[in-house]
Amino acid sequence: IVGFGALTAVMLATAGDEAFLMLSLIPKQAWLIFGACFFIGILGGWLADKLIKSKVHCKGTCAIKIHKDLLGFDKTKHFFKQHLWEHIIKKHIPKLFIWIFLTLFLVNLLMQQFDLTKLNQFNKLFLLFFAALLGIIPESGPHLIFLTLFSKHLIPFSILLTNSLVQDGHGLLPLLSYSVKDAIKVKIFNVFIGLIVGLILFSFGF
């Protein structure tokens, strides 16, 4: 239904669960980040469609068919039994659960082993690249470190924006459970866009 560009645009535009905390900790800058992600998402999506002429690779048919021969109660019963229960709940939900569970488990394990609060001891340019790298993780928790550092005026705006562009909260997990290849393509493109924007702002002192 949608192309690679639309998928890339929505991943660039979303900032994950951090959006709520941004509104609380840095309300003025939050709207600036939301606006930047919105416009960069549109531009990045357009660029992705120009460079990558493809749609998501479907593994067989995964569409809800319209049954014109069914009417009234039979149509409703068929939808809930075949499409909702047999297709969505039994086929897709288990894979989604596994991906989300494993991701949350590994992220929490890593956060217990490493003290991410010491990140500010590193060079700011290194932190910008690390912000993009950490953005690859399809979960919101680890990214809060950059929001916390920015709210305490310890890192520049460019680092937080880079992380916000690359990361997409839990948004990538459904795609990972369906097409790992396309998820990797989207994430590579988002890292590229995030780094380009971040480096430009960083070079101008933002």
Side-chain angles (χ1 to χ4, degrees), residues 32-121:
L32 184 60
I33 290 174
F34 298 160
C37 288
F38 175 77
F39 287 107
I40 294 170
I42 294 174
L43 181 62
W46 174 82
L47 186 61
D49 264 340
K50 292 294 181 181
L51 296 177
I52 302 175
K53 302 290 185 180
S54 68
K55 292 182 180 292
V56 174
H57 298 283
C58 297
K59 296 178 181 178
T61 302
C62 188
I64 296 179
K65 298 179 181 178
I66 298 174
H67 301 280
K68 295 182 179 180
D69 55 324
L70 296 175
L71 298 173
F73 178 75
D74 289 334
K75 190 173 184 179
T76 303
K77 181 180 178 181
H78 173 81
F79 174 81
F80 279 102
K81 182 179 180 181
Q82 296 298 324
H83 297 301
L84 185 61
W85 175 252
E86 295 291 339
H87 187 94
I88 297 175
I89 296 178
K90 291 179 68 175
K91 182 179 179 181
H92 290 291
I93 295 299
K95 289 192 295 183
L96 267 175
F97 173 81
I98 292 172
W99 271 106
I100 294 173
F101 175 80
L102 290 176
T103 302
L104 294 176
F105 176 79
L106 290 174
V107 167
N108 286 324
L109 186 64
L110 287 172
M111 293 184 72
Q112 290 176 10
Q113 299 297 321
F114 299 99
D115 186 5
L116 297 179
T117 59
K118 294 181 180 179
L119 282 178
N120 195 47
Q121 297 175 1

Side-chain angles (χ1 to χ4, degrees), residues 132-201:
L133 183 64
L134 200 66
I136 296 174
I137 300 175
E139 202 271 328
S140 293
H143 313 292
L144 292 174
I145 184 63
F146 297 104
L147 175 58
T148 303
L149 291 174
F150 179 79
S151 68
K152 297 181 182 296
H153 308 287
L154 296 175
I155 60 172
F157 178 80
S158 55
I159 294 178
L160 179 60
L161 181 60
T162 297
N163 182 254
S164 298
L165 285 169
V166 177
Q167 68 102 352
D168 36 56
H170 304 91
L172 196 70
L173 290 175
L175 183 59
L176 270 172
S177 68
Y178 191 71
S179 174
V180 175
K181 180 180 178 180
D182 287 298
I184 292 174
K185 286 166 59 178
V186 168
K187 188 54 72 174
I188 289 174
F189 200 89
N190 286 4
V191 169
F192 173 75
I193 294 292
L195 281 176
I196 292 296
V197 173
L199 287 171
I200 291 174
L201 291 177

